[in-house]
Structure formats: C-alpha cells, structure tokens
Amino acid sequence: MSMNGKSDVNPTVQPPQSEPQKAPEQEPDLKREGKKGIVDAIQQLGQSNVPQLESNIHCLSIIGQVEGHLVMPAQNKTTKYEHVIPQIVAAEQNRNIEGVIIILNTVGGDVEAGLALAEMIASMSKPTVSLVLGGGHSIGVPIAVSADISFIAETATMTVHPVRLTGLVVGVPQTFEYMEKMQDRVIRFVSDHSNIGEERFRELMFRTGELARDIGTNVIGADAVKYGLIDRVGGLAEALGELNRRIELNRQGGMVQ
C-alpha cells in the first residue's frame, strides 16, 4: 500500500496470460476418408488396396462359403456373389486389366450362385488362371475349372459329392427330378471345362465308404490332376507365371495353348 492508502498496482495493467494451447492438428479429411475406404473394402470384399501397386492382373478371391440368395449367419466366413459379379464385369471392361487370377479356399455353398460365378469366369475374353489353396470343395469345383487353366497346391483338397438340399423338401417325384437336373448342370459344366469325363466325375461323386457322413470323394493335390479335374499342381509363382505367359501371347495375338 502507498502512503495515501491506494494500491500500488496499476489497474490498467493486465496480468500476463498464458498462451492458449493449440488444438492438435486434425488429420486431413482426405487421409481419413482413404483409411475408411480401405477398412470398408476389407469388411465388404475381403480385399484392400494397401500395396498401391499398379498391376495389369486382377486378383479375385473366393473365400469361405459362397453365399447365394440367403444371408449366412454373421460368424460364417462368406463370399457374397453379388459382390463378385461386379468385379468380374469391371475386370472384363477395364482396359488396364489384362488377366485375372482366381484364388480359391472355399467349402462350397449355394449351387446356383457358384454356377453363376463359374459361367461368368468361363465367358471372359481375357486370360484367366485359377489356384486352389487349402480347399476347393463342392460348388468350388466348377469355379476352379472355369478358368483357362487351373492349378492346385500340393496339400489342397477338393471334395466331390452330389447336390444336397437344405430346409423344407417336398417329398414328391418333381423334387427328385429338380435335383437331378441341377446335378446334371454341375456335371456337364465340369466335364466341359476340364479333362474329366462325365462318367468318371459321376463315379467320384457317388463313391461310398470314403466320406464319413456323406457319399463322394476327397481328392488331394496330385490326385485332382490325375483324375483330370485340375490341370497342374503348383502354387502362386506357377499360376502367375502361366497367367503372364498367356497375357503376353494375347498381346501378340498368338494362339494360347
């Protein structure tokens, strides 16, 4: 206090204030959207564009169970055919895509959905190569043979069995005839796109004593080639090497053999 009783503090002088803290820099919207797009692609299609590699080959994966008109339970790993069909159409139309490799590790699934995918792959004008890793069971067999040339890993398996129906089945002769026609569609497609004959494929399909709870045959690696279902035993390097060879021949307008 001063002698006149007034405060020494100048009322006009403000006490020093601390500098306001800067808000943490926000991540650019574009970067956030890019990360969200990758996550969405992984969740929806099981694929991502993380490597950022400009490639002339499109990788089409058939993983888990082929989901058809009915939605599978959430705990099932599925390949939704309504997601795969647009990919096939886009690969066929895209001039930068010169070949398609189909990677299979599937237990099978919806017969008509699987046949739809197989027919689309078989009707592509660009070179296609399929590779069975782990398993290519049930309706995965027509998808595997739909490519121009097919490979199977040495330890991979393929289960061939008759068409089965689930849910309500009406016990009338028409139901049996419908199953017969559906089965004939599968047999005819496989025999037309592989080196196995119809009779031989039917024999594998109706063999008894090999599968514990079903009739059919489980073929492994080289056996699939021996029966004529698959063209060659090989892995990723062999499959990509053959696809690149066919792409080069296609550029030159040569005959692919």
Side-chain angles (χ1 to χ4, degrees), residues 35-173:
K35 287 186 177 181
K36 184 177 183 300
I38 292 174
V39 173
D40 289 343
I42 293 173
Q43 290 176 343
Q44 295 295 327
L45 304 177
Q47 296 179 340
S48 69
N49 297 322
V50 174
Q52 297 296 328
L53 173 66
E54 290 294 333
S55 175
N56 62 335
I57 294 174
H58 178 67
C59 177
L60 183 67
S61 58
I62 309 295
I63 306 297
Q65 190 159 351
V66 178
E67 185 179 275
H69 304 302
L70 298 179
V71 178
M72 301 300 297
Q75 68 268 20
N76 287 35
K77 178 73 69 176
T78 63
T79 294
K80 301 178 185 296
Y81 83 118
E82 70 269 23
H83 290 166
V84 178
I85 287 176
Q87 290 187 60
I88 299 174
V89 175
E92 176 69 17
Q93 289 185 312
N94 192 337
R95 294 181 180 179
N96 296 324
I97 300 297
E98 297 183 278
V100 177
I101 181 169
I102 302 101
I103 307 293
L104 294 103
N105 189 3
T106 176
V107 295
D110 188 283
V111 175
E112 291 191 344
L115 280 177
L117 298 180
E119 288 284 7
M120 290 197 72
I121 294 170
S123 60
M124 293 187 72
S125 64
K126 298 180 179 181
T128 56
V129 170
S130 65
L131 173 60
V132 179
L133 295 172
H137 307 291
S138 190
I139 201 61
V141 176
I143 299 175
V145 304
S146 64
D148 296 333
I149 187 167
S150 55
F151 287 81
I152 185 169
E154 189 175 354
T155 57
T157 63
M158 304 181 78
T159 302
V160 180
H161 63 76
V163 173
R164 296 171 296 193
L165 292 180
T166 58
L168 178 64
V169 177
V170 181
V172 294

Side-chain angles (χ1 to χ4, degrees), residues 148-149 232 242 245-246 249 254-257:
D148 296 333
I149 187 167
R232 303 178 193 173
E242 177 62 25
R245 186 184 76 85
R246 289 172 176 265
L249 287 174
M255 182 72 69
V256 179
Q257 297 181 350

Side-chain angles (χ1 to χ4, degrees), residues 19-25:
E19 294 184 2
Q21 293 183 350
K22 294 183 179 180
E25 294 184 3

